[in-house]
mmCIF file of all heavy atoms in Angstrom:
data_model
loop_
_atom_site.group_PDB
_atom_site.id
_atom_site.type_symbol
_atom_site.label_atom_id
_atom_site.label_comp_id
_atom_site.label_asym_id
_atom_site.label_seq_id
_atom_site.Cartn_x
_atom_site.Cartn_y
_atom_site.Cartn_z
ATOM 1 N N LEU A 242 70.973 6.063 63.725
ATOM 2 C CA LEU A 242 71.774 7.215 63.312
ATOM 3 C C LEU A 242 73.162 7.160 63.939
ATOM 4 O O LEU A 242 74.159 7.509 63.290
ATOM 5 C CB LEU A 242 71.063 8.516 63.699
ATOM 6 C CG LEU A 242 69.786 8.830 62.903
ATOM 7 C CD1 LEU A 242 69.112 10.085 63.462
ATOM 8 C CD2 LEU A 242 70.087 9.019 61.418
ATOM 9 N N ASN A 243 73.247 6.720 65.202
ATOM 10 C CA ASN A 243 74.559 6.549 65.831
ATOM 11 C C ASN A 243 75.361 5.459 65.141
ATOM 12 O O ASN A 243 76.592 5.520 65.092
ATOM 13 C CB ASN A 243 74.377 6.204 67.316
ATOM 14 C CG ASN A 243 73.937 7.398 68.137
ATOM 15 O OD1 ASN A 243 74.272 8.539 67.823
ATOM 16 N ND2 ASN A 243 73.177 7.153 69.191
ATOM 17 N N LEU A 244 74.675 4.451 64.606
ATOM 18 C CA LEU A 244 75.364 3.366 63.913
ATOM 19 C C LEU A 244 76.074 3.854 62.666
ATOM 20 O O LEU A 244 77.213 3.466 62.390
ATOM 21 C CB LEU A 244 74.352 2.271 63.546
ATOM 22 C CG LEU A 244 74.870 1.085 62.716
ATOM 23 C CD1 LEU A 244 75.978 0.353 63.460
ATOM 24 C CD2 LEU A 244 73.731 0.143 62.382
ATOM 25 N N VAL A 245 75.434 4.740 61.890
ATOM 26 C CA VAL A 245 76.048 5.215 60.647
ATOM 27 C C VAL A 245 76.904 6.456 60.867
ATOM 28 O O VAL A 245 77.568 6.916 59.934
ATOM 29 C CB VAL A 245 74.966 5.515 59.572
ATOM 30 C CG1 VAL A 245 74.133 4.295 59.289
ATOM 31 C CG2 VAL A 245 74.064 6.671 60.011
ATOM 32 N N LEU A 246 76.910 6.977 62.096
ATOM 33 C CA LEU A 246 77.618 8.228 62.373
ATOM 34 C C LEU A 246 79.094 8.146 62.028
ATOM 35 O O LEU A 246 79.684 9.089 61.491
ATOM 36 C CB LEU A 246 77.443 8.594 63.849
ATOM 37 C CG LEU A 246 77.977 9.963 64.308
ATOM 38 C CD1 LEU A 246 77.296 11.088 63.562
ATOM 39 C CD2 LEU A 246 77.762 10.119 65.824
ATOM 40 N N SER A 247 79.728 6.998 62.331
ATOM 41 C CA SER A 247 81.166 6.891 62.111
ATOM 42 C C SER A 247 81.519 6.602 60.663
ATOM 43 O O SER A 247 82.674 6.771 60.259
ATOM 44 C CB SER A 247 81.746 5.774 63.003
ATOM 45 O OG SER A 247 81.169 4.532 62.676
ATOM 46 N N SER A 248 80.553 6.183 59.846
ATOM 47 C CA SER A 248 80.868 5.866 58.454
ATOM 48 C C SER A 248 80.505 6.987 57.491
ATOM 49 O O SER A 248 81.176 7.184 56.477
ATOM 50 C CB SER A 248 80.168 4.567 58.026
ATOM 51 O OG SER A 248 78.767 4.670 58.185
ATOM 52 N N VAL A 249 79.447 7.740 57.778
ATOM 53 C CA VAL A 249 79.060 8.834 56.885
ATOM 54 C C VAL A 249 79.337 10.201 57.479
ATOM 55 O O VAL A 249 79.319 11.205 56.771
ATOM 56 C CB VAL A 249 77.569 8.712 56.482
ATOM 57 C CG1 VAL A 249 77.283 7.367 55.875
ATOM 58 C CG2 VAL A 249 76.658 8.976 57.671
ATOM 59 N N GLY A 250 79.553 10.276 58.797
ATOM 60 C CA GLY A 250 79.857 11.544 59.436
ATOM 61 C C GLY A 250 78.625 12.304 59.856
ATOM 62 O O GLY A 250 77.526 12.083 59.348
ATOM 63 N N PRO A 251 78.766 13.218 60.829
ATOM 64 C CA PRO A 251 77.636 13.961 61.349
ATOM 65 C C PRO A 251 76.965 14.875 60.333
ATOM 66 O O PRO A 251 75.789 15.202 60.466
ATOM 67 C CB PRO A 251 78.229 14.797 62.492
ATOM 68 C CG PRO A 251 79.673 14.524 62.523
ATOM 69 C CD PRO A 251 80.006 13.473 61.524
ATOM 70 N N THR A 252 77.691 15.286 59.302
ATOM 71 C CA THR A 252 77.097 16.176 58.302
ATOM 72 C C THR A 252 75.972 15.474 57.549
ATOM 73 O O THR A 252 74.877 16.003 57.397
ATOM 74 C CB THR A 252 78.165 16.666 57.323
ATOM 75 O OG1 THR A 252 79.153 17.390 58.033
ATOM 76 C CG2 THR A 252 77.562 17.567 56.265
ATOM 77 N N VAL A 253 76.248 14.264 57.061
ATOM 78 C CA VAL A 253 75.224 13.512 56.324
ATOM 79 C C VAL A 253 74.102 13.083 57.262
ATOM 80 O O VAL A 253 72.939 13.076 56.875
ATOM 81 C CB VAL A 253 75.862 12.303 55.620
ATOM 82 C CG1 VAL A 253 74.801 11.449 54.935
ATOM 83 C CG2 VAL A 253 76.890 12.773 54.597
ATOM 84 N N VAL A 254 74.450 12.732 58.486
ATOM 85 C CA VAL A 254 73.413 12.381 59.466
ATOM 86 C C VAL A 254 72.498 13.588 59.703
ATOM 87 O O VAL A 254 71.283 13.458 59.771
ATOM 88 C CB VAL A 254 74.051 11.906 60.784
ATOM 89 C CG1 VAL A 254 72.993 11.804 61.881
ATOM 90 C CG2 VAL A 254 74.732 10.558 60.600
ATOM 91 N N GLY A 255 73.090 14.782 59.807
ATOM 92 C CA GLY A 255 72.292 15.988 59.976
ATOM 93 C C GLY A 255 71.352 16.218 58.804
ATOM 94 O O GLY A 255 70.202 16.647 58.983
ATOM 95 N N LEU A 256 71.812 15.924 57.588
ATOM 96 C CA LEU A 256 70.971 16.059 56.399
ATOM 97 C C LEU A 256 69.794 15.097 56.483
ATOM 98 O O LEU A 256 68.657 15.457 56.177
ATOM 99 C CB LEU A 256 71.788 15.783 55.135
ATOM 100 C CG LEU A 256 71.026 15.812 53.813
ATOM 101 C CD1 LEU A 256 70.398 17.175 53.596
ATOM 102 C CD2 LEU A 256 71.946 15.455 52.659
ATOM 103 N N ALA A 257 70.065 13.864 56.924
ATOM 104 C CA ALA A 257 68.985 12.889 57.051
ATOM 105 C C ALA A 257 67.942 13.324 58.064
ATOM 106 O O ALA A 257 66.738 13.163 57.856
ATOM 107 C CB ALA A 257 69.564 11.517 57.433
ATOM 108 N N VAL A 258 68.410 13.903 59.171
ATOM 109 C CA VAL A 258 67.486 14.325 60.237
ATOM 110 C C VAL A 258 66.551 15.433 59.745
ATOM 111 O O VAL A 258 65.436 15.582 60.259
ATOM 112 C CB VAL A 258 68.270 14.781 61.483
ATOM 113 C CG1 VAL A 258 67.357 15.406 62.527
ATOM 114 C CG2 VAL A 258 68.996 13.582 62.099
ATOM 115 N N LEU A 259 66.982 16.215 58.746
ATOM 116 C CA LEU A 259 66.104 17.258 58.202
ATOM 117 C C LEU A 259 64.788 16.684 57.690
ATOM 118 O O LEU A 259 63.752 17.350 57.717
ATOM 119 C CB LEU A 259 66.808 17.989 57.057
ATOM 120 C CG LEU A 259 67.890 18.989 57.426
ATOM 121 C CD1 LEU A 259 68.483 19.578 56.167
ATOM 122 C CD2 LEU A 259 67.329 20.068 58.309
ATOM 123 N N LEU A 260 64.826 15.445 57.226
ATOM 124 C CA LEU A 260 63.615 14.824 56.703
ATOM 125 C C LEU A 260 62.601 14.547 57.805
ATOM 126 O O LEU A 260 61.463 14.177 57.524
ATOM 127 C CB LEU A 260 63.980 13.527 55.970
ATOM 128 C CG LEU A 260 64.903 13.706 54.760
ATOM 129 C CD1 LEU A 260 65.267 12.348 54.171
ATOM 130 C CD2 LEU A 260 64.243 14.589 53.709
ATOM 131 N N GLU A 261 63.024 14.715 59.073
ATOM 132 C CA GLU A 261 62.067 14.566 60.178
ATOM 133 C C GLU A 261 60.989 15.634 60.106
ATOM 134 O O GLU A 261 59.858 15.413 60.549
ATOM 135 C CB GLU A 261 62.800 14.663 61.515
ATOM 136 C CG GLU A 261 61.871 14.523 62.712
ATOM 137 C CD GLU A 261 62.596 14.732 64.037
ATOM 138 O OE1 GLU A 261 63.844 14.817 64.027
ATOM 139 O OE2 GLU A 261 61.915 14.810 65.069
ATOM 140 N N VAL A 262 61.317 16.784 59.537
ATOM 141 C CA VAL A 262 60.340 17.882 59.495
ATOM 142 C C VAL A 262 59.092 17.490 58.712
ATOM 143 O O VAL A 262 57.986 17.493 59.256
ATOM 144 C CB VAL A 262 60.969 19.172 58.933
ATOM 145 C CG1 VAL A 262 59.921 20.273 58.845
ATOM 146 C CG2 VAL A 262 62.122 19.616 59.805
ATOM 147 N N PRO A 263 59.209 17.124 57.417
ATOM 148 C CA PRO A 263 57.991 16.690 56.720
ATOM 149 C C PRO A 263 57.439 15.391 57.279
ATOM 150 O O PRO A 263 56.222 15.175 57.274
ATOM 151 C CB PRO A 263 58.461 16.519 55.260
ATOM 152 C CG PRO A 263 59.931 16.334 55.348
ATOM 153 C CD PRO A 263 60.377 17.150 56.511
ATOM 154 N N GLY A 264 58.325 14.508 57.776
ATOM 155 C CA GLY A 264 57.839 13.259 58.342
ATOM 156 C C GLY A 264 56.959 13.484 59.554
ATOM 157 O O GLY A 264 55.884 12.890 59.691
ATOM 158 N N ALA A 265 57.408 14.369 60.458
ATOM 159 C CA ALA A 265 56.618 14.663 61.656
ATOM 160 C C ALA A 265 55.313 15.366 61.287
ATOM 161 O O ALA A 265 54.282 15.167 61.944
ATOM 162 C CB ALA A 265 57.432 15.532 62.611
ATOM 163 N N LEU A 266 55.354 16.190 60.244
ATOM 164 C CA LEU A 266 54.119 16.845 59.801
ATOM 165 C C LEU A 266 53.067 15.823 59.379
ATOM 166 O O LEU A 266 51.897 15.930 59.736
ATOM 167 C CB LEU A 266 54.431 17.783 58.633
ATOM 168 C CG LEU A 266 54.973 19.168 58.960
ATOM 169 C CD1 LEU A 266 55.258 19.925 57.683
ATOM 170 C CD2 LEU A 266 53.999 19.927 59.827
ATOM 171 N N LEU A 267 53.511 14.817 58.603
ATOM 172 C CA LEU A 267 52.576 13.791 58.144
ATOM 173 C C LEU A 267 52.025 12.985 59.314
ATOM 174 O O LEU A 267 50.823 12.718 59.390
ATOM 175 C CB LEU A 267 53.276 12.862 57.153
ATOM 176 C CG LEU A 267 53.672 13.478 55.813
ATOM 177 C CD1 LEU A 267 54.452 12.467 54.974
ATOM 178 C CD2 LEU A 267 52.430 13.938 55.052
ATOM 179 N N VAL A 268 52.900 12.633 60.249
ATOM 180 C CA VAL A 268 52.446 11.869 61.410
ATOM 181 C C VAL A 268 51.501 12.708 62.264
ATOM 182 O O VAL A 268 50.480 12.211 62.754
ATOM 183 C CB VAL A 268 53.645 11.389 62.251
ATOM 184 C CG1 VAL A 268 53.173 10.676 63.511
ATOM 185 C CG2 VAL A 268 54.535 10.446 61.427
#
Side-chain angles (χ1 to χ4, degrees):
L242 290 175
N243 287 329
L244 176 60
V245 302
L246 187 60
S247 61
S248 58
V249 305
T252 299
V253 175
V254 169
L256 177 60
V258 172
L259 284 179
L260 299 176
E261 180 185 351
V262 178
L266 278 178
L267 292 175
V268 176

